[in-house]
């Protein structure tokens, strides 16, 4: 349904534009989620731009439940953007381990240093200026402007897309409906309390207007929601058929020293899991080069472990064969890395992929007698 078709406030027509914001904000005032980066609904003080920015970067492709403990640890360790700007790269990457999408962490540090060194520790309050900062795209710029600076900005994430698509029963497949959804969201975004409105839309999409089980009877926008009127709100947004993810294979090498240390490489800054500690391996992360020969960090009688590691990335799935070699010490492995105590691997900040492999060899995993 086109945006212009906003009119009567009835059970069968979309609510008038002004009443959408009024109803949603009234509901938000009572039911807003209490999140550590938020100001209270209707608060006169702005939310801390640093905390808003940090939370929005962490929340990209990641759930609120997963982000909260990371956010609390980050803000305890680095309470301001200036403190974060002074963090060592390795320390930040280790603290980020497990959140995934590690380019976000590299951009986080680059942005913090720019804000601290160039902008005197102050985030810009306009979308166009925020967009110039590392790692900040249109959604994040709008969210910071609206939530931290009370500017009118149209904030659209996956939750907001779902709410708007259902509200207007937008039948265009989601991949092609971005402009239509944005126009509809633009039409209903108020000037006053734009930040609260954005967060209210996010909360609605994360809760009552969830992907598979919308609670329409409790929704403040039920009256006039075109998706609800169809009797099948879960049909919106219309999804395009998903292409099958390609499946890659590779090998990682567990090089263990007899005194209880494992060799961890430092991955290059560019590319997947850049700048992180990890296990050396083949070129599984290089599309089209997975089958290229790569030598292990040391030559020896490597033993294949009959327990592959399975992992799913955004664009492909991965199966890694794990091979193990125990050495007495003295030999220097190839590549840039360090010997790390196996019983202290939780401090190494390993990405989830390599942590899965490490668990095979830690307590409760494979013991030497099981390895031929």
């Amino acid at each position: 349904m086109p945006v212009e078709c906003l009119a009567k406030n009835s059970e069968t027509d979309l609510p008038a534009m002004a009443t959408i914001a009024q109803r949603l904000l009234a509901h938000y005032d009572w039911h807003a989620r209490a999140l550590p980066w938020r100001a209270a609904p209707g608060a006169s003080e702005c939310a801390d731009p640093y905390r808003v920015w940090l939370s929005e970067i962490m929340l990209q492709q990641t759930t609120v439940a997963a982000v909260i403990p990371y956010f609390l640890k980050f803000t305890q360790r680095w309470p301001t953007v200036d403190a974060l700007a002074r963090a060592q790269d390795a320390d930040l990457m280790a603290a980020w381990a497990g959140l995934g999408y590690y380019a976000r962490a590299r951009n986080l540090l680059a942005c913090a240093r720019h804000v601290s060194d160039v902008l005197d520790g102050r985030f810009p309050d306009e979308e166009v200026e925020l967009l110039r900062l590392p790692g900040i795209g249109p959604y994040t710029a709008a969210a910071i402007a609206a939530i931290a600076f009370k500017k009118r900005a149209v904030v659209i994430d996956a939750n907001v897309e779902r709410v708007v698509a259902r509200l207007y029963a937008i039948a265009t497949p989601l991949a092609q409906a971005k402009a239509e959804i944005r126009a509809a969201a633009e039409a209903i975004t108020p000037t006053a309390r734009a930040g609260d409105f954005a967060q209210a839309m996010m909360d609605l999409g994360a809760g009552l207007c969830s992907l598979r089980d919308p609670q329409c009877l409790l929704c403040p926008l039920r009256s006039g929601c075109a998706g609800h009127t169809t009797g099948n709100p879960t049909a919106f947004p219309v999804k395009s058929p998903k292409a099958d993810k390609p499946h890659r294979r590779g090998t990682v090498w567990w090089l263990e020293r007899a005194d209880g240390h494992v060799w961890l490489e430092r991955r290059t800054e560019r590319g997947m899991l850049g700048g992180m500690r990890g296990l050396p391996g083949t070129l599984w992360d290089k599309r089209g080069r997975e089958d290229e020969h790569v030598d292990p960090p040391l030559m020896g009688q490597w033993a294949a472990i009959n327990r592959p590691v399975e992992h799913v990335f955004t664009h492909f799935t991965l199966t890694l064969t794990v091979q193990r070699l125990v050495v007495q010490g003295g030999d220097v492995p190839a590549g840039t890395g360090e010997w790390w105590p196996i019983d202290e691997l939780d401090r190494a900040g390993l990405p989830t992929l390599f942590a899965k492999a490490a668990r095979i060899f830690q307590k409760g995993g494979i013991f030497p007698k099981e390895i031929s």
Side-chain angles (χ1 to χ4, degrees):
M1 182 177 293
V3 178
E4 304 85 61
C5 297
L6 294 165
K8 300 176 183 177
N9 179 15
S10 71
E11 285 294 320
T12 57
D13 295 309
L14 290 176
M17 287 183 285
T19 66
I20 294 175
Q22 291 168 0
R23 291 182 183 182
L24 189 58
L25 287 169
H27 183 269
Y28 181 72
D29 287 342
W30 285 96
H31 301 287
R33 289 181 291 181
L35 300 174
W37 48 84
R38 279 188 178 176
S44 57
E45 305 84 9
C46 291
D48 182 352
Y50 169 65
R51 295 169 72 88
V52 173
W53 162 74
L54 179 61
S55 68
E56 290 297 343
I57 299 299
M58 288 183 166
L59 285 165
Q60 293 169 9
Q61 306 291 328
T62 311
T63 65
V64 168
V67 163
I68 287 176
Y70 281 88
F71 178 86
L72 294 174
K73 290 176 183 177
F74 263 69
T75 50
Q76 181 177 21
R77 186 172 183 180
W78 300 296
T80 66
V81 69
D82 293 320
L84 185 61
R86 293 191 295 272
Q88 296 296 314
D89 292 50
D91 290 342
L92 184 132
M93 297 304 288
W96 189 275
L99 267 180
Y101 302 94
Y102 293 95
R104 294 182 299 168
R106 296 192 293 273
N107 284 329
L108 190 81
L109 197 50
C111 185
R113 288 169 177 167
H114 182 89
V115 171
S116 180
D117 298 342
V118 179
L119 303 179
D120 197 27
R122 295 182 176 87
F123 282 87
D125 61 1
E126 297 289 346
E127 286 181 80
V128 65
E129 298 297 328
L130 288 163
L131 282 168
R132 296 193 174 103
L133 300 179
I136 294 185
Y139 161 75
T140 305
I144 296 171
I147 298 168
F149 296 108
K150 298 183 181 293
K151 298 295 181 75
R152 185 186 184 278
V154 181
V155 183
I156 304 176
D157 68 354
N159 285 320
V160 176
E161 283 184 336
R162 182 164 57 257
V163 171
V164 172
R166 287 175 178 170
L167 185 63
Y168 292 100
I170 292 174
T172 308
L174 186 58
Q176 292 80 44
K178 301 293 185 180
E180 193 174 351
I181 289 173
R182 181 170 185 82
E186 172 78 38
I188 61 176
T189 298
T191 299
R193 298 187 65 186
D196 280 349
F197 179 79
Q199 292 174 113
M201 290 283 280
M202 295 175 198
D203 281 10
L204 188 65
L208 296 181
C209 199
S210 63
L211 182 64
R212 295 181 179 85
D213 188 27
Q215 305 296 304
C216 295
L217 292 179
L218 301 176
C219 179
L221 304 184
R222 175 175 66 91
S223 175
C225 173
H228 169 65
T229 300
T230 68
N232 187 22
T234 57
F236 307 96
V238 177
K239 297 294 182 68
S240 302
K242 280 189 176 180
D244 291 336
K245 289 185 178 182
H247 187 196
R248 300 185 191 176
R249 297 182 182 275
T251 299
V252 290
W253 293 295
W254 179 272
L255 178 59
E256 183 178 336
R257 212 165 59 186
D259 64 357
H261 288 68
V262 63
W263 180 255
L264 299 182
E265 69 171 6
R266 175 72 69 180
R267 296 177 64 83
T268 59
E269 291 297 326
R270 293 185 176 275
M272 295 188 65
L273 311 180
M276 305 292 290
R277 294 188 182 97
L279 298 175
T282 57
L283 303 178
W284 56 265
D285 55 336
K286 311 292 185 185
R287 184 173 59 184
R289 300 180 61 190
E290 301 96 316
D291 296 330
E292 287 188 23
H293 176 75
V294 177
D295 288 328
L298 275 179
M299 302 309 293
Q301 296 298 312
W302 289 86
I305 307 304
N306 189 26
R307 193 177 298 184
V309 174
E310 307 284 347
H311 196 70
V312 179
F313 289 98
T314 304
H315 301 299
F316 65 95
T317 60
L318 176 66
T319 300
L320 287 178
T321 298
V322 183
Q323 295 193 16
R324 179 179 187 251
L325 176 66
V326 180
V327 296
Q328 293 302 315
D331 293 326
V332 179
T336 302
E338 59 192 312
W339 291 105
W340 195 278
I342 295 174
D343 59 1
E344 296 181 16
L345 277 174
D346 58 330
R347 297 193 301 103
L350 293 178
T352 302
L353 170 66
F354 298 122
K356 287 179 179 179
R359 282 196 290 271
I360 295 174
F361 300 97
Q362 292 176 294
K363 291 181 179 179
I366 286 180
F367 293 92
K369 66 180 181 180
E370 297 179 273
I371 303 173
S372 58

